Amino acid sequence: MASLTDLVNLDLSDCTDKIIAEYIWIGGSGIDLRSKARTVKGPITDPSQLPKWNYDGSSTGQAPGEDSEVILYPQAIFKDPFRKGDNILVMCDCYTPQGEPIPTNKRYNAAKVFSHPDVAAEVPWYGIEQEYTLLQKDVNWPLGWPVGGYPGPQGPYYCAAGADKAFGRDVVDAHYKACLYAGINISGINGEVMPGQWEFQVGPSVGISAGDEIWVARYILERITEIAGIVLSLDPKPIQGDWNGAGAHTNYSTKSMREPGGYEVIKKAIEKLGKRHKEHIAAYGEGNERRLTGRHETADINTFKWGVANRGASIRVGRDTEREGKGYFEDRRPASNMDPYVVTGMIAETTILWKEN
């Protein structure tokens, strides 16, 4: 008699050419991930080979009950680390039956920015540092913390090893390998300053693919924490008080920045970002005012400043970039719950396309 595990891990490749495609989309809150699966003929090598699909938008806060159909457009595909084989994860965006992007479809406008000839010519690279917190399921309190209590103060936990300092490494390592399997350009992981908090990095990724990869990496992390019975939090300040918040620092460069003389291009780009600081802050994640206090390696939310190797600045430029006269910079303002389509598209639009009146 086959066990449940045997059936879950059943290899179908020797008996059918059908595969399972897990269609993923962003729900009505703008941060919740939804998905459902369908059977298609495989193998699939490009999202254009997949059919559009639909779902009940009234159940996700994205459509009224009397006209609830929302259409899924497949946009990017990844190998499925859960079902394996030729099965795939499909990142989708959402449209009305008339073909109009729905309000929560932030990918649509980002894709327009990245397809602009001036932006495409600059080949924008992104490296996104996604911080997150693991919570104990039934109490919504950080993993490794005594229930209703606090661990020792910050200091020993960042990039630490040991049962009293690192909590949830099995989840983190499983996620790392699952992302590599999926084909996500995940470039590293580390334990963060607050115990129970971790970070993974995706990049360098070009243009719209940065948003696709972060969203699918988040989906994979949600699935792994589901298996582990742990809750994933992207709250930018999950614990009040003298504890670090969670951000999504966004490293950025253009072709002009990466070439000789690029440091001057970087300084002009940072100047533009400063002039649109309020607009960027408004789009950089919910609850970010609880995180951007001027403490815990942040700049105050109402202040824009940049500096070389300054982790208390809005924009940090690395020592290597300053020394070599070219490279990249880091926007430290985005919150952990930011929409990567919004942030990456807005940075490119401000630094490449926007012209001051």
Side-chain angles (χ1 to χ4, degrees):
M1 175 68 72
S3 70
L4 183 59
T5 300
D6 291 334
L7 292 171
V8 167
N9 295 325
L10 198 60
D11 182 3
L12 304 176
S13 59
D14 60 348
C15 60
T16 180
D17 61 359
K18 302 290 180 65
I19 66 165
I20 301 170
E22 189 78 26
Y23 281 50
I24 303 165
W25 71 95
I26 301 156
S29 72
I31 193 67
D32 58 313
L33 283 159
R34 310 289 181 122
S35 75
K36 62 177 185 173
R38 70 180 296 166
T39 305
V40 297
K41 187 175 180 180
I44 298 293
T45 57
D46 190 89
S48 63
Q49 298 171 274
L50 290 163
K52 294 173 184 175
W53 205 9
N54 65 77
Y55 67 93
D56 171 18
S58 69
S59 295
T60 62
Q62 293 171 294
E66 64 273 13
D67 186 15
S68 66
E69 193 168 282
V70 180
I71 312 303
L72 293 167
Y73 287 28
Q75 298 291 1
I77 58 174
F78 299 86
K79 292 175 65 179
D80 186 340
F82 304 103
R83 297 187 175 108
K84 303 180 184 176
D86 288 332
N87 302 301
I88 54 174
L89 304 176
V90 185
M91 191 64 210
C92 303
D93 61 353
C94 305
Y95 296 79
T96 68
Q98 293 74 37
E100 295 294 323
I102 67 172
T104 51
N105 181 352
K106 306 303 182 184
R107 190 186 193 278
Y108 179 80
N109 283 332
K112 282 172 61 177
V113 170
F114 290 120
S115 64
H116 190 288
D118 293 350
V119 176
E122 283 289 353
V123 196
W125 288 4
Y126 296 91
I128 299 176
E129 305 170 30
Q130 176 68 71
E131 295 178 341
Y132 61 93
T133 308
L134 298 175
L135 304 178
Q136 301 169 58
K137 182 182 174 196
D138 296 324
V139 293
N140 275 342
W141 199 239
L143 198 66
W145 291 37
V147 176
Y150 296 85
Q154 293 182 156
Y157 310 107
Y158 174 68
C159 295
D164 58 339
K165 295 181 285 293
F167 312 114
R169 191 183 298 276
D170 52 349
V171 167
V172 173
D173 204 43
H175 176 251
Y176 195 177
K177 292 176 179 176
C179 284
L180 286 170
Y181 180 94
I184 291 167
N185 192 23
I186 186 169
S187 47
I189 58 169
N190 61 267
E192 266 305 329
V193 177
M194 189 182 89
Q197 199 172 79
W198 295 81
E199 172 184 298
F200 66 87
Q201 304 95 33
V202 168
S205 302
V206 178
I208 198 69
S209 64
D212 290 336
E213 292 186 15
I214 282 288
W215 274 116
V216 175
R218 286 175 174 178
Y219 174 81
I220 291 171
L221 185 54
E222 286 275 20
R223 290 282 303 275
I224 290 172
T225 53
E226 172 191 325
I227 293 166
I230 293 169
V231 174
L232 169 65
S233 172
L234 295 182
D235 190 298
K237 186 73 173 178
I239 303 295
Q240 295 303 304
D242 196 17
W243 304 98
N244 272 37
H249 303 150
T250 301
N251 300 278
Y252 172 70
S253 70
T254 64
K255 185 172 182 289
S256 298
M257 294 174 190
R258 297 188 292 270
E259 293 177 343
Y263 195 39
E264 291 306 311
V265 181
I266 286 171
K267 288 192 284 187
K268 288 176 183 175
I270 293 172
E271 183 180 352
K272 285 184 173 184
L273 288 169
K275 290 176 178 177
R276 298 188 77 190
H277 177 63
K278 288 185 179 179
E279 293 171 65
H280 280 256
I281 287 294
Y284 273 17
E286 293 296 321
N288 212 9
E289 71 282 352
R290 293 183 281 115
R291 167 181 162 261
L292 297 180
T293 61
R295 300 183 63 216
H296 305 110
E297 300 180 277
T298 71
D300 180 82
I301 195 167
N302 297 310
T303 303
F304 181 88
K305 62 180 180 179
W306 74 277
V308 176
N310 184 358
R311 283 183 163 77
S314 314
I315 305 290
R316 181 186 67 86
V317 174
R319 290 286 182 201
D320 288 348
T321 296
E322 180 188 44
R323 182 172 59 252
E324 295 173 12
K326 61 182 181 179
Y328 71 96
F329 63 84
E330 175 192 44
D331 191 339
R332 296 181 59 80
R333 297 171 295 173
S336 50
N337 60 6
M338 64 82 159
D339 187 323
Y341 294 136
V342 172
V343 169
T344 57
M346 198 171 191
I347 291 173
E349 196 272 333
T350 294
T351 60
I352 301 171
L353 300 180
W354 182 70
K355 292 180 172 56
E356 196 175 359
N357 292 333

